[in-house]
Structure formats: structure tokens, C-alpha cells
Amino acid sequence: GGAAYGGFASAWVFHTSARRGGEPGSEPIFSSPTLDASSGAVYFGCVDGLLYAVAPEGAPLWTFDAAGPIFSAPCAFTASLGAGLERRLLVTSQSGRLLCVEAVHGALRWEQPAEVHGHSAPAVDRASAQHGVVAADDVAARVAVVGGVDGRLHAFDCASGAPLGTTQLPGAVFSSAALCTGRVVVGCRDDFLYCLALRAQPAAQPAAAPADRPTMVRRRPDGGGSGGGGG
């Protein structure tokens, strides 16, 4: 069996930047940290507008300027680049953008305006729609979903950042969506929880994306469904 835990001992303390002229560590951290199991690195956002990467032993690795305070947790995932795989992070900030950065050096890969303003954390598909089995870290994610304060829920291609679909909910979305096996579950400011299905667009639509690109179908509390608009 594993070791028995009986308390806490300090391993390290990390100090954020002090953009406001205060002492190191003076900037608040509301973002939940994300631990990347594949590297052991820790990622978190800060009110100073920086996304931080910290080594397992607590040493700073890099920072990325998100151009606005970060309140949501970063989302770590693996992207397929055709010739290989790359570990990446998705994060939202008060700048109203969804940002995708490479996880090793913090280089920007793509960004999209989404009116998210740092409240809703991004989510990616982590399971096979065919088998319903949670994917390992080395399995590439296809779709990223994030909600906005304008009530819109957006879907993007994880590799390129291309918009895949948008649907309008009746109220603002501060909730972080959960995405698995082609279904998105998210809370809305109208006090309902919504389950939305990602589905392929009909090939007959002349302006549609390729048939394997998903769009979102909203399941209303009364059991009805309505289609989401294209991104």
C-alpha cells in the first residue's frame, strides 16, 4: 500500500510579480492551479495578467502576458499537429480572449475573441465519443469549449483555433463547462444546467465546415432541442 498521510509540510512557496509596485507575492491568485501529470509542471493565472509555469520543485519556468487579469483555471491538453503532438494550455483573461499557448516555453499558438472575461475556464474533449473511455494525456484533444458573459458558448478546434460553432444561452455563463464524449454540460445565469450535444454539420450545407466538424445542439430544460448557430 501507499504511504499514510498525516498532515502537511511546506515544500515551496512561489512569489508572483509585483506590477502594482508592491512586494513580491502581492498580486492575488484566484485562478485554480493546473498540474500537468506528463511533466509535473504547475500552471496558474494571476490578477497581474500573467500565466505562470512553475517547475515541480517550485522554480519559475516562464510567464505569458494575457493582457488582463486571469481568474479561471488553465486547461492543459495535447494537440495534434499532423507530424506529432504538442502539449498546450488554454486560458481566458479579462481581455475577453481565449488564448492557446505552448506548454514548454509559453509561446502563443492562437487566440480568439470570446467575451469570456476570465470567468469561465476552457474545457476540452477528454474522451472517445465511440468508446466513452477517458483519454490519456498523450491522446490529442479535438474540441475546446468556453462560455462567455454574453451568454454564448463557443467551440473551437484545439489545434488551429478555428471556430467550430456557437450557441446562445438565455443568460450569462460564468460556469466552467464539462466536456466528454461529445456532450457539453454547463451552468447558466438563468439558473438552469444545460447539456449540449456536439454533432457533425450536414454536408449539404454549402457554407458548412467539413462533415466531421462538430456544432452544438442545446437541450432545453423542457426536453426540447435547438441548434446552435455557426461560429
Side-chain angles (χ1 to χ4, degrees):
Y5 293 100
F8 298 94
S10 178
W12 49 264
V13 176
F14 183 86
H15 293 284
T16 61
S17 68
R19 282 191 176 182
R20 298 176 183 175
E23 296 297 324
S26 63
E27 294 287 2
I29 301 170
F30 296 103
S31 167
S32 297
T34 294
L35 177 64
D36 192 341
S38 63
S39 66
V42 179
Y43 306 99
F44 69 94
C46 183
V47 172
D48 62 10
L50 296 179
L51 175 65
Y52 289 85
V54 181
E57 68 277 8
L61 294 175
W62 52 260
T63 60
F64 175 83
D65 193 340
I70 301 172
F71 294 103
S72 65
C75 177
F77 70 99
T78 299
S80 175
L81 306 180
L85 301 174
E86 182 179 71
R87 289 296 284 171
R88 292 181 175 182
L89 298 162
L90 288 170
V91 67
T92 61
S93 81
Q94 289 292 91
S95 67
R97 298 179 297 162
L98 174 65
L99 302 155
C100 178
V101 300
E102 179 266 336
V104 177
H105 303 291
L108 179 66
R109 290 301 187 234
W110 54 263
E111 61 180 288
Q112 287 284 359
E115 292 300 319
V116 288
H117 298 293
H119 298 288
S120 174
V124 298
D125 55 337
R126 295 193 180 279
S128 165
Q130 293 181 336
H131 306 294
V133 178
V134 175
D137 283 339
D138 59 351
V139 176
R142 293 180 57 239
V143 182
V145 172
V146 67
V149 294
D150 57 359
R152 295 199 296 173
L153 195 67
H154 306 270
F156 299 97
D157 181 270
C158 280
S160 67
L164 299 179
T166 299
T167 192
Q168 181 71 52
L169 295 181
V173 177
F174 295 96
S175 165
S176 299
L179 174 58
C180 187
T181 62
R183 292 187 179 272
V184 182
V185 181
V186 67
C188 180
R189 191 61 182 83
D190 69 344
D191 302 334
F192 286 105
L193 182 72
Y194 289 87
C195 180
L196 303 95
L198 294 171
R199 69 178 182 185
Q201 292 182 348
Q205 295 180 0
D212 61 348
R213 281 194 170 186
T215 55
M216 290 181 283
V217 179
R218 178 156 56 96
R219 181 65 57 184
R220 298 195 302 265
D222 60 7
S226 61

